[in-house]
Amino acid sequence: MSPEKPTAEEPTAEEPTAEASAEPVPEEDVTRGEGAQIAAVVALTLALIGFATGLAQPKLAAPRLRAVPSAVVTEVPQAPTYGQLPEASLGPNAEWRSHLQDLARTPGDLLAPREVPSEAAKLRALEVRAKRRAYSGAPPTIPHQVSARSAASCLSCHETGLRIGDRVASPMPHRLLVNCLQCHGAPPPRALAAAKGGVKPSHFRGQAEPLRGKRASLGAPPVIPHATHMRERCVSCHGPGASSPALQSSHPWRVNCRQCHAASAAGFAK
Amino acid sequence: MDRREFLRLSALATASAAIARRVAAQEGPGKRLPQAPKPPEIPGVTWNKAPCRFCGTGCHVQVGVKDERVVAVAGDAQAEVNKGLLCVKGYHVGGILYGEDRLTQPMVRKNGELEPISWEGAIDLIATNIMKAPERFAFYGSGQWTIPEGFAAQKLMKGGLSNNHIDPNARLCMASAVTGFLSTYGVDEPASCFDDLEACDVTILWGNNPAEMHPVLFSRLMDRRSLGNPVRLIDLTTRFTRSSEMADEVMIFTPQSDLAIANCIAQQLVAKDAYDKEFVRKHCNFRGDTSPPTLWGKEISFEDYKKSLQDYTPEKVAPISGLSVGQLTLLGDVFADKTLRIVSLWCMGMNQHTQGTAINNLVHAVHLLSGHWGKPGDGPQSLTGQPAACGTVREVGTLAHALPGGRVVMNAGHRVECEKLWNLPAGRISKTPGHHTVKMFEKFCTPTDKGGDIGMIWVQVTNPGQTLPNLHKLFLAKKNLEDKFLVVSEVYPTKTTELADLVLPAALWVEKNGIFGNSERRTQQWFKMVEPPGQARDDCWQTIAVAHRLLELGHPGMKDKDGHFIFRTLDEAGREVPIWKWEHYYSVNVDRRLYEEYRPFTHKKHKNVAPYDQLVTHRGLRWPVVETKTGEWRETRWRFVEGADPFVEKGKGIQFYHSRTKDDKALIWFRPYVPPPESPDDEFTHWLCTGRVLEHWHSGTLTRRVTQLRRAAPAAYAELNPEDAAAMGVSNGDLVVLETRRGRIEIPAWVDGRARPPRGTVFVPFFDERVPINELTLDAHDPYSKQPDYKKCAVKIRKKGHA
């Protein structure tokens, strides 16, 4: 990929650390070729432009409603009233089209540089996860209202995953299962929202999500610290479409995770 | 930024390791280099296997324990039943152990209040009360009893006290399935197994909603669709449920007309000459009702059978059932098609039925008549609702008339066999059946001077104060009877402990050793993994401690023929271990000791359960389990089927070797449609159906304490048809008043809920103790199984505040 390959006797770093980056690099450590240098410059320049462009475009969609030029606004059809609905010709509006371009770029730009999340951000992300899980490995409860009857609506977003602006529906991390509410607890139905209390709660304290996995040696890929049963599709949480950026892989273009990261057996009983 | 600088920056990242390495090298070899990795485990968590605590599916879970507490659960990928998957209850089963209000101290009621009492005092109080009148004592247990717990209670009562007043809550749950199997095959329990779910072409749900009640089995079925091996689902139901949502055919029938529908299928098979003549000739006899009807009926000819069916043509059954002629014909055609493999699934819809035995007989009959029997994927499969309804209740026989291993107290030979196996003096076991559940509680709630011949009940592992039908009559009436004594072994305060005179804190699930038996004859074992809280102790220990106190008080029944304590337990050196003392209870494996005493009982009816040590290394084994010539233990997937069942003689193909008619044949029954004991009328206008929901199990005592489950199903509700609701001016969350001839409750309405009842029907789940729906239900019961009907009675309904 780049000409800045370390010499053969030196191991490849898994990812740069802030500490190491502060050290100057003696030029003689680096072998290089002229053509490759130019390619690297071009690639990095493009990447930086992409990065700057990304920074310039706020992720929140709401303010853009006002930012659309008036000429475009005129193309946006007026929303019909309920009475007009049966006769109304419905179609995508201009605003929606402009969003689609953004959508196409967001998860697709795998090689765009991304900030290395801080330890604090990772911990915060794990905390958010833990709120919806009884223990590490528990099926998460559902944070939004769902159809009480059928899983079809769940699958429309979560089968392959979906991102709209900053809202993410994670793809299911396990094989396709179609009775979603069998395992994932829904929020209280609105009809029963008034129901309170009744019995005292459980003080069950679940096993916390483990932190980073161990490395066999410095620079070795870490092992997967959590059980992978029902979490076989790593990209669900660590891929480019992950709901929490802090848990995303630093190398989202690689898709065969367990080629390098050994699965943890979690010590299940035989 | 010039080229040089750019390169420097670019090189930073990839060269960092080189620097780190060099720094490490300068500080000396091995100093900074990390240690070799340990096995990738979650620190401090040890895992062990256990069957799930809840329903009769019998999923295995991996239980993660850290610092003496259960901290995680995972579906056990090695378990054949669930293949790594669980349901939302199973995933959160660990939470049931840690409710804030766990009972941790024996309590006795004094002046209306529960006050602490020592264990010695509590055990003595029970024993002295029994000694006063052993024949007025009753033991009420459950399908959640482990096999050793049920076996100990059974031995204490029938083998020790010569008292047959022992019955389980399973009487309210699957007693009709038992009588159905008995009167059809001559022996109880399903012959088929869950493997059929992957092998069938058609699954018929008979009043069954497995999407919520047996979700793991339902997923096994539905997963086939995404795996490119589709199955056709026909849902015979009285309301449109989550299972209906996935069904190819949804047939909503009028309550009770399942009898007519089954007969209609048989009628079509006979009328179209589409029944399996070869199968019927070789393997079946015909059976019809005597007058008055009995469980065993009488032999009838095929001509009689044919004649009995003539009133059940699709045209005649359509108006009774509410199904169209087309739907009924479709059912007939499915069974007539010999190329299909058909599984029938049923549970409470058919069992909680005043004609429960009859409808069980009829579903077996359509399978036998059509020859859809005994091939993988082809046969009737009855499901159970409790983890050991089969293992403990049906096999150990903790029923008022039963003895271990499929024996009954009325049979002198059976009594002698049990006395011999138990080393008891001849005549110890009484020949008179005890009171079944409804009668037991009726007698307990009747004043002594008016014939209430039960003075004391000991309840273990269940909550009759919420789950009995017609609660005012069968439970709450105890309140005013001062001389009646209620002992309750429980883990949480319940509707039952509210009226208890003595409350004993019990160990729960992996706080004790245990063995369950699921709906496909699978016996499953687990070890204790954590300590019970406070002074909570095993139910089995409680039973043995009372037995020993009775021995001390001089009850002669607590000794066997040789004068030894009936629960005498020896250690490996042959010395007696005082297991009635809690501190010695786990000095030996009492579960193993009791189970191995029980095991020979299972041989008579060829229900040979596997040895304990085999269970330890398996995720359950399906009986009959026999040792092969090579010393391995082999389980049985299809009973009565040659090649699968080791007890079928060579060349027989299918052999019903416990046949009632002693000719290796099963019975094809005709049972008529009988109207329900109570139907909607001008005053009580709607059908009331009760049942469970996915998130809560049984009376909700355990599951309602688990945050994730309570969040998803916070309260009971009346599920209304939208048109009915509109007619009453009721919308979501409005309080409605439900009233039957037996009771009245207020409850919020749910109109667009998880199921849609047809017009004129209302459904209420029974998990919520704040809304005791069983104060409204009917105690009318099946004449043979004595199982009440919780699925249909007449109710009137109005919006609260409206006349």
Side-chain angles (χ1 to χ4, degrees):
Chain A
M1 183 187 75
S2 88
E4 288 78 40
K5 264 190 184 164
T7 45
E9 67 271 14
E10 290 176 350
T12 310
E14 163 68 10
E15 53 187 312
T17 64
E19 196 189 349
S21 308
E23 299 279 335
V25 183
E27 235 175 283
E28 59 271 22
D29 271 16
V30 181
T31 58
R32 57 182 187 268
E34 196 69 25
Q37 277 177 30
I38 294 165
V41 171
V42 171
L44 279 163
T45 312
L46 284 174
L48 277 175
I49 291 167
F51 184 62
T53 318
L55 282 182
Q57 291 193 350
K59 270 190 165 184
L60 283 175
R64 286 173 52 82
L65 283 175
R66 260 163 269 136
V68 175
S70 58
V72 179
V73 170
T74 54
E75 288 177 23
V76 177
Q78 291 290 314
T81 65
Y82 284 111
Q84 292 166 334
L85 269 180
E87 286 80 37
S89 66
L90 301 172
N93 58 32
E95 176 65 8
W96 185 245
R97 276 199 296 276
S98 72
H99 264 271
L100 279 174
Q101 289 168 357
D102 291 348
L103 290 174
R105 195 158 52 232
T106 316
D109 200 1
L110 295 178
L111 299 176
R114 53 185 289 272
E115 274 181 64
V116 177
S118 68
E119 268 316 288
K122 285 186 182 176
L123 287 174
R124 266 199 307 279
L126 288 180
E127 234 170 77
V128 170
R129 270 179 73 81
K131 277 189 183 142
R132 289 187 199 145
R133 287 161 177 84
Y135 51 88
S136 170
T141 55
I142 303 168
H144 51 75
Q145 285 289 335
V146 288
S147 159
R149 289 178 187 157
S150 155
S153 53
C154 309
L155 295 176
S156 65
C157 298
H158 291 284
E159 186 173 356
T160 52
L162 183 71
R163 175 187 286 271
I164 297 178
D166 61 345
R167 299 300 301 268
V168 174
S170 310
M172 56 174 76
H174 47 70
R175 67 191 167 89
L176 178 63
L177 293 164
V178 294
N179 191 11
C180 308
L181 298 181
Q182 170 181 332
C183 303
H184 297 281
R190 290 202 181 98
L192 305 176
K196 290 275 186 301
V199 290
K200 297 192 169 153
S202 171
H203 289 296
F204 176 80
R205 288 195 305 271
Q207 172 64 30
E209 206 69 69
L211 300 176
R212 53 176 68 247
K214 288 182 180 164
R215 295 169 197 264
S217 58
L218 218 108
V223 297
I224 304 170
H226 56 72
T228 51
H229 178 54
M230 297 297 278
R231 289 189 271 183
E232 295 90 3
R233 282 166 70 183
C234 310
V235 292
S236 175
C237 299
H238 302 295
S243 56
S244 169
L247 298 179
Q248 275 177 34
S249 156
S250 62
H251 40 281
W253 57 89
R254 300 222 182 271
V255 292
N256 189 13
C257 310
R258 285 191 260 185
Q259 173 186 334
C260 303
H261 299 280
S264 157
F268 284 150
K270 292 285 177 289
Chain B
M1 192 188 291
D2 65 12
R3 202 189 74 164
R4 210 176 160 78
E5 192 186 353
F6 201 92
L7 273 175
R8 280 166 56 94
L9 285 170
S10 312
L12 281 177
T14 43
S16 57
I19 297 157
R21 178 75 177 269
R22 199 169 299 134
V23 171
Q26 283 161 5
E27 290 188 5
K31 214 170 173 187
R32 284 275 301 275
L33 291 172
Q35 301 273 309
K38 289 201 174 112
E41 290 176 355
I42 301 172
V45 177
T46 55
W47 295 88
N48 214 332
K49 61 138 189 168
C52 177
R53 176 60 180 74
F54 301 120
C55 76
T57 301
C59 299
H60 264 92
V61 297
Q62 285 280 338
V63 185
V65 173
K66 187 182 183 182
D67 302 333
E68 281 288 308
R69 284 173 66 99
V70 173
V71 294
V73 161
D76 194 331
Q78 293 181 61
E80 285 172 277
V81 170
N82 52 308
K83 304 171 201 289
L85 190 66
L86 294 173
C87 78
V88 69
K89 291 185 297 299
Y91 281 116
H92 296 101
V93 61
I96 65 174
L97 300 175
Y98 302 111
E100 199 177 298
D101 51 349
R102 266 300 286 270
L103 299 172
T104 56
Q105 161 80 48
M107 307 277 272
V108 68
R109 196 172 297 277
K110 281 186 183 153
N111 306 318
E113 296 296 316
L114 286 171
E115 292 176 9
I117 182 175
S118 70
W119 264 114
E120 292 68 30
I123 296 296
D124 180 65
L125 188 58
I126 298 172
T128 45
N129 265 305
I130 294 173
M131 281 300 274
K132 280 183 210 161
E135 73 289 352
R136 287 170 56 78
F137 170 59
F139 214 145
Y140 185 63
S142 112
Q144 300 157 60
W145 255 341
T146 66
I147 288 175
E149 284 167 356
F151 185 71
Q154 173 84 315
K155 190 175 185 185
L156 168 71
M157 294 299 286
K158 289 174 183 153
L161 295 170
S162 305
N163 173 341
N164 292 337
H165 294 317
I166 174 172
D167 218 42
N169 66 356
R171 178 75 71 179
L172 314 172
C173 178
M174 37 100 277
S176 296
V178 176
T179 46
F181 279 106
L182 271 178
S183 52
T184 303
Y185 307 104
V187 67
D188 182 29
E189 294 194 58
S192 49
C193 65
F194 297 159
D195 299 42
D196 292 338
L197 298 174
E198 276 87 25
C200 63
D201 303 305
V202 181
T203 298
I204 302 182
L205 307 175
W206 294 80
N208 187 216
N209 178 15
E212 287 204 71
M213 309 319 157
H214 297 88
V216 165
L217 299 183
F218 192 67
S219 278
R220 274 177 68 167
L221 265 181
M222 291 301 104
D223 285 357
R224 290 178 46 184
R225 292 185 174 165
S226 26
L227 297 171
N229 174 24
V231 58
R232 186 171 171 201
L233 189 64
I234 300 179
D235 185 22
L236 275 165
T237 180
T238 57
R239 57 195 255 275
F240 192 98
T241 65
R242 278 189 190 164
S243 305
S244 317
E245 200 78 50
M246 306 294 278
D248 300 282
E249 310 282 345
V250 181
M251 305 189 182
I252 297 184
F253 64 91
T254 309
Q256 191 89 355
S257 69
D258 43 1
L259 298 156
I261 294 167
N263 278 335
C264 178
I265 296 171
Q267 190 276 336
Q268 294 176 68
L269 290 169
V270 171
K272 292 179 184 166
D273 208 25
Y275 67 99
D276 190 331
K277 292 187 193 68
E278 178 73 1
F279 188 91
V280 169
R281 185 183 60 77
K282 279 165 85 173
H283 307 301
C284 305
N285 290 315
F286 289 92
R287 208 75 169 175
D289 275 336
T290 48
S291 172
T294 60
L295 175 60
W296 302 111
K298 62 168 189 208
E299 193 174 343
I300 57 172
S301 67
F302 177 69
E303 286 311 312
D304 293 338
Y305 179 70
K306 196 172 172 181
K307 221 164 109 189
S308 310
L309 289 172
Q310 66 192 10
D311 287 338
Y312 295 92
T313 61
E315 291 71 23
K316 285 180 181 168
V317 170
I320 306 171
S321 65
L323 300 188
S324 67
V325 171
Q327 287 173 316
L328 291 163
T329 313
L330 185 151
L331 288 171
D333 291 347
V334 165
F335 275 96
D337 187 341
K338 291 190 178 64
T339 65
L340 295 175
R341 296 195 169 199
I342 307 169
V343 163
S344 284
L345 292 180
W346 71 93
C347 197
M348 292 308 115
M350 269 169 52
N351 296 346
Q352 294 181 334
H353 196 310
T354 49
Q355 293 293 319
T357 308
I359 183 64
N360 270 270
N361 284 149
L362 294 179
V363 171
H364 291 302
V366 293
H367 274 273
L368 291 166
L369 187 65
S370 59
H372 288 292
W373 206 102
K375 296 182 283 296
D378 216 14
Q381 172 71 48
S382 142
L383 302 172
T384 50
Q386 297 189 83
C390 284
T392 304
V393 173
R394 293 160 82 157
E395 290 154 34
V396 178
T398 57
L399 294 146
H401 66 285
L403 287 167
R407 298 170 176 85
V408 290
V409 297
M410 300 81 84
N411 184 316
H414 291 179
R415 292 198 302 276
V416 168
E417 286 164 7
C418 289
E419 283 159 356
K420 212 171 146 198
L421 281 164
W422 270 334
N423 192 33
L424 299 174
R428 171 71 67 77
I429 298 169
S430 160
K431 64 178 179 188
T432 319
H435 293 329
H436 59 81
T437 299
V438 172
K439 201 166 168 198
M440 182 191 288
F441 280 93
E442 198 180 311
K443 293 290 184 186
F444 185 62
C445 290
T446 305
T448 308
D449 54 9
K450 289 185 179 150
D453 62 8
I454 297 295
M456 172 181 183
I457 295 184
W458 185 358
V459 176
Q460 282 191 344
V461 222
T462 185
N463 185 11
Q466 191 173 334
T467 57
L468 284 167
N470 198 357
L471 280 168
H472 286 290
K473 176 181 162 189
L474 293 183
F475 188 73
L476 299 173
K478 186 261 172 194
K479 225 181 281 184
N480 311 315
L481 304 175
E482 298 238 319
D483 66 328
K484 305 278 180 165
F485 194 72
L486 181 63
V487 183
V488 182
S489 302
E490 248 303 355
V491 294
Y492 288 113
T494 64
K495 295 303 270 185
T496 311
T497 61
E498 278 178 23
L499 291 196
D501 300 288
L502 182 65
V503 177
L504 305 175
L508 171 64
W509 192 45
V510 296
E511 293 167 355
K512 59 186 180 187
N513 287 343
I515 309 169
F516 283 157
N518 84 344
S519 326
E520 54 162 1
R521 296 174 276 109
R522 186 186 291 275
T523 319
Q524 309 159 297
Q525 173 275 351
W526 76 94
F527 287 121
K528 175 176 177 169
M529 301 175 203
V530 294
E531 286 296 326
Q535 295 183 42
R537 295 177 184 180
D538 297 32
D539 296 88
C540 195
W541 172 82
Q542 298 176 22
T543 304
I544 291 169
V546 166
H548 194 265
R549 185 70 193 128
L550 286 166
L551 178 77
E552 290 172 345
L553 294 172
H555 195 290
M558 297 304 123
K559 287 183 182 167
D560 66 12
K561 216 159 66 179
D562 301 328
H564 295 304
F565 180 38
I566 54 170
F567 295 111
R568 182 171 186 243
T569 300
L570 305 178
D571 64 12
E572 278 173 17
R575 289 167 306 208
E576 181 162 12
V577 182
I579 56 168
W580 56 90
K581 292 182 182 164
W582 176 243
E583 60 271 26
H584 290 288
Y585 188 69
Y586 275 92
S587 303
V588 285
N589 186 340
V590 177
D591 259 40
R592 186 175 186 276
R593 136 88 176 83
L594 290 173
Y595 180 80
E596 289 299 330
E597 176 180 321
Y598 157 66
R599 206 153 66 81
F601 283 84
T602 63
H603 297 166
K604 182 183 177 70
K605 300 278 179 175
H606 303 91
K607 300 186 179 189
N608 308 32
V609 292
Y612 187 89
D613 296 342
Q614 287 297 314
L615 297 180
V616 169
T617 54
H618 286 87
R619 301 299 189 269
L621 285 165
R622 288 169 279 195
W623 59 256
V625 181
V626 293
E627 196 171 10
T628 61
K629 282 179 188 148
T630 54
E632 281 157 358
W633 292 83
R634 194 182 143 234
E635 64 165 4
T636 299
R637 293 197 289 171
W638 293 280
R639 215 181 169 202
F640 308 128
V641 177
E642 189 177 347
D645 183 339
F647 297 117
V648 172
E649 290 165 37
K650 222 171 174 185
K652 289 273 185 182
I654 285 171
Q655 184 184 15
F656 297 108
Y657 47 72
H658 283 293
S659 161
R660 176 78 184 168
T661 41
K662 313 274 184 217
D663 55 0
D664 290 342
K665 290 182 178 182
L667 303 179
I668 294 178
W669 272 88
F670 172 76
R671 300 264 199 193
Y673 167 77
V674 177
E678 188 177 273
S679 296
D681 54 25
D682 288 345
E683 191 187 356
F684 297 93
T685 47
H686 285 61
W687 286 108
L688 170 65
C689 180
T690 70
R692 271 191 42 217
V693 297
L694 167 68
E695 294 85 354
H696 292 298
W697 189 73
H698 209 234
S699 64
T701 314
L702 303 174
T703 48
R704 287 191 64 230
R705 286 173 168 81
V706 178
T707 317
Q708 290 80 7
L709 302 175
R710 192 176 41 181
R711 172 177 176 266
Y717 50 84
E719 184 180 272
L720 296 181
N721 175 280
E723 287 174 48
D724 281 347
M728 288 181 277
V730 168
S731 58
N732 270 337
D734 288 348
L735 279 183
V736 293
V737 180
L738 299 183
E739 188 175 346
T740 66
R741 292 180 176 87
R742 296 155 293 279
R744 182 172 172 277
I745 55 162
E746 288 176 12
I747 187 169
W750 195 6
V751 179
D752 57 351
R754 52 181 73 184
R756 272 163 284 173
R759 281 211 78 166
T761 300
V762 50
F763 172 84
V764 178
F766 75 99
F767 68 81
D768 191 343
E769 63 180 27
R770 295 166 298 178
V771 193
I773 189 63
N774 280 322
E775 291 180 11
L776 275 64
T777 48
L778 200 60
D779 58 333
H781 46 74
D782 180 89
Y784 317 117
S785 71
K786 319 295 180 194
Q787 180 168 359
D789 191 329
Y790 292 85
K791 297 294 184 189
K792 42 195 165 295
C793 68
V795 65
K796 64 178 157 189
I797 175 166
R798 62 181 164 83
K799 192 174 178 179
K800 197 193 170 189
H802 292 246

